[in-house]
Amino acid sequence: MALVLILPAAYPAQAEASLQALIDQAAPGDTVTIPDGKYEGPIRITKPLKLLAKGEVKLTNPSEEAALTIAADDVTLQGITVLDRRINSEDASIIVSGSRNLLEKVTVETMGTGIQLRGANANTIRNVSVIGKVKDRGSASDAGHDHSAHLSKSASKPKVTVQAQKGNGIDLYDSHDNRLIENQVTNVFDGIYLEKSTGNELTQNRVEKSRYGYHLMGTTQTSLKNNTGSENVTGAMLMETADATVVGNRFLKQRKNPNSQGILLYDVQNSLLADNHIEGNRVGLYLERSSGITVTGNQLSLNFVGMQLIASAGNTWTNNQFISNVIAAQAQDSATDNLNGNYWDNLLGLDVDGDHKSDLPYEMNPFYLGLTDAIPAYQLFFQSPGFVFLENLFTSGAGSPIRDETPLMPTSAVVSANAETGSNWGAGILGLILLAGSCTFIYVGVKKS
């Protein structure tokens, strides 16, 4: 049976001075129970231990090092709060470089990056909260703290304010087979960032008010299931990635930035996007230079543009629902994609044989993408009567090669989903709001230039 060590807390100063010493004195495999109190870092763990907080345990970090470093295997860290006020440090508040560790019920308030895994495999991060404390307007102060630097100690020299920059919430590099479960990340740069990592599982996490909610860069065999991303610039960004599984997620209200998307795939191969709910984004789903992607069972609703498909090949789209988007879909240079059996609520369909599939195809129009790529300012004329006329004139009788050959006709299930999503009035209002934001963005850019 492991020895249970309980840290004395009669005097707070003694407790602060004793935490690292107690860890150093514990034998490998011991359980260290930390009572209610405030403690100071940096703390370093170099052997297998269980650190269990009893009550409200807060770890502050007056040093320039990481508040807590786990450089061992088989460590459990449970129930502590880390308060890290360092500015723009390369090191996260918590650094993990070992394997088979468990971080559970941990809260990190940070002015930079929350948790970093470096060469760390088979770890579990569960029910962890990372809260970025950098203000969106670039303020260098937070909660009454003035984080500043001076050119010298002389009072006659002017003060130079150090601008804090957001770091990532949970950051993995060269780390494999880790599990991230039921974590919450708010107001950071990228919520959960993975690079050059294989076989990681992200399940039931939530990322809000950050740049990219989930950012996969150069990963393979990543599983992204039942997560939520809301009010970020982009909900999920997959780049130079292969064999990803993106299933059952919710990406909501990524729309405040002109370049916002629910899900973005760029240079992605042989991956699955299934049963995701993508609602209220500027662009619901964006694919570029990607191949071998299976897109099935997704619902894209109330987006400014439901789907954009550019310079991609050999992808399969089936049984997806496009409901109450301002524009259902746009496609360009993706003629070899296979689109069959999707539901488009703006389809002018005809079902002669009663098989619930239209005998007329649904064609995607490349006119808007081609023209606005060449002249971005033409976005101002989106859905204007003259623009719609030119768009129809451009494709009339042309037989667009990018089409759904057998689109679905409305069924009771689809009608029910359409009713739950809302009427086309909702889509129209959303379109006006997003168009107003785009106009403001273009106007400001022109004025500055």
Side-chain angles (χ1 to χ4, degrees):
M1 181 180 295
L3 176 64
V4 178
L5 301 175
I6 301 179
L7 181 66
Y11 303 97
Q14 177 185 357
E16 291 175 358
S18 302
L19 181 53
Q20 183 65 61
L22 184 70
I23 291 171
D24 294 340
Q25 293 167 9
D30 281 347
T31 296
V32 178
T33 301
I34 310 172
D36 188 296
K38 294 182 179 179
Y39 306 89
E40 286 191 353
I43 300 297
R44 188 173 181 84
I45 305 169
T46 58
K47 54 194 166 187
L49 292 173
K50 288 186 178 180
L51 271 73
L52 309 180
K54 183 179 181 181
E56 188 175 2
V57 174
K58 293 185 177 180
L59 178 65
T60 60
N61 188 30
S63 77
E64 291 302 315
E65 302 177 32
L68 193 149
T69 300
I70 300 175
D73 301 336
D74 303 306
V75 172
T76 295
L77 178 67
Q78 187 179 87
I80 75 167
T81 295
V82 176
L83 306 175
D84 194 352
R85 294 293 186 258
R86 295 173 303 152
I87 299 295
N88 302 335
S89 174
E90 292 184 2
D91 293 333
S93 300
I94 298 177
I95 298 177
V96 180
S97 59
S99 297
R100 302 183 304 278
N101 299 295
L102 169 63
L103 275 66
E104 186 173 30
K105 298 180 181 178
V106 171
T107 297
V108 180
E109 295 186 6
T110 181
M111 300 294 290
T113 295
I115 300 172
Q116 286 176 338
L117 275 63
R118 294 293 184 264
N121 305 320
N123 298 282
T124 298
I125 300 176
R126 181 167 55 216
N127 198 12
V128 166
S129 178
V130 179
I131 304 167
K133 302 302 289 185
V134 178
K135 293 183 179 179
D136 287 330
R137 293 183 179 180
S139 172
S141 62
D142 179 76
H145 296 275
D146 184 16
H147 303 280
S148 59
H150 298 79
L151 291 176
S152 73
K153 294 183 179 180
S154 172
S156 63
K157 296 292 184 179
K159 182 189 294 185
V160 177
T161 300
V162 177
Q163 297 295 320
Q165 298 179 358
K166 293 180 180 180
N168 298 329
I170 303 175
D171 186 306
L172 281 67
Y173 182 86
D174 190 27
S175 297
H176 315 294
D177 303 316
N178 299 285
R179 297 191 305 157
L180 280 61
I181 306 169
E182 295 181 339
N183 303 295
Q184 299 85 39
V185 182
T186 304
N187 192 37
V188 297
F189 190 60
D190 290 348
I192 299 178
Y193 178 80
L194 284 69
E195 184 175 355
K196 295 185 178 179
S197 300
T198 300
N200 293 289
E201 298 179 9
L202 283 61
T203 306
Q204 293 183 313
N205 302 284
R206 185 178 187 91
V207 180
E208 298 177 324
K209 299 177 180 177
S210 301
R211 187 185 70 150
Y212 303 150
Y214 308 88
H215 190 178
L216 280 56
M217 174 65 75
T219 74
T220 56
Q221 300 176 2
T222 303
S223 173
L224 192 67
K225 292 184 178 181
N226 302 323
N227 302 279
T228 299
S230 64
E231 299 184 75
N232 306 292
V233 173
T234 294
M237 167 80 78
L238 284 66
M239 301 183 69
E240 300 176 3
T241 284
D243 304 313
T245 301
V246 183
V247 174
N249 304 283
R250 293 171 59 83
F251 296 106
L252 313 171
K253 300 180 181 179
Q254 274 77 213
R255 62 193 185 199
K256 293 183 179 180
N257 189 289
N259 297 313
S260 289
Q261 302 93 6
I263 306 177
L264 185 151
L265 275 66
Y266 183 89
D267 192 12
V268 176
Q269 289 79 41
N270 305 323
S271 297
L272 171 66
L273 274 65
D275 304 323
N276 299 290
H277 185 84
I278 306 170
E279 179 179 323
N281 307 282
R282 188 180 185 279
V283 175
L285 176 56
Y286 179 95
L287 268 72
E288 183 173 356
R289 298 185 182 182
S290 297
S291 61
I293 313 298
T294 298
V295 185
T296 182
N298 302 284
Q299 180 175 310
L300 299 98
S301 58
L302 290 172
N303 303 287
F304 186 54
V305 179
M307 176 267 283
Q308 285 184 335
L309 179 62
I310 300 174
S312 296
N315 303 301
T316 300
W317 303 70
T318 183
N319 199 34
N320 302 288
Q321 296 183 9
F322 294 81
I323 299 173
S324 295
N325 303 287
V326 179
I327 297 178
Q330 298 172 330
Q332 185 181 41
D333 300 329
S334 303
T336 63
D337 270 34
N338 180 18
L339 292 97
N340 278 296
N342 302 281
Y343 174 75
W344 315 87
D345 67 348
N346 62 336
L347 168 72
L348 299 176
L350 178 65
D351 182 12
V352 176
D353 55 11
D355 63 353
H356 302 294
K357 296 180 180 179
S358 174
D359 299 313
L360 301 176
Y362 182 86
E363 297 185 353
M364 269 148 277
N365 197 324
F367 179 78
Y368 178 84
L369 284 176
L371 190 60
T372 56
D373 279 349
I375 307 175
Y378 282 178
Q379 295 178 59
L380 289 169
F381 301 106
F382 171 75
Q383 293 296 83
S384 67
F387 204 97
V388 172
F389 172 77
L390 290 174
E391 191 172 44
N392 292 332
L393 184 66
F394 178 80
T395 57
S396 179
S400 171
I402 309 172
R403 64 168 98 187
D404 188 333
E405 294 289 354
T406 56
L408 299 178
M409 297 294 289
T411 63
S412 58
V414 168
V415 170
S416 176
N418 205 345
E420 290 178 3
T421 301
S423 69
N424 288 332
W425 283 103
I429 293 171
L430 174 63
L432 290 174
I433 293 171
L434 291 169
L435 179 58
S438 298
C439 292
T440 302
F441 178 79
I442 293 172
Y443 173 77
V444 171
V446 171
K447 187 176 181 181
K448 286 183 177 180
S449 64

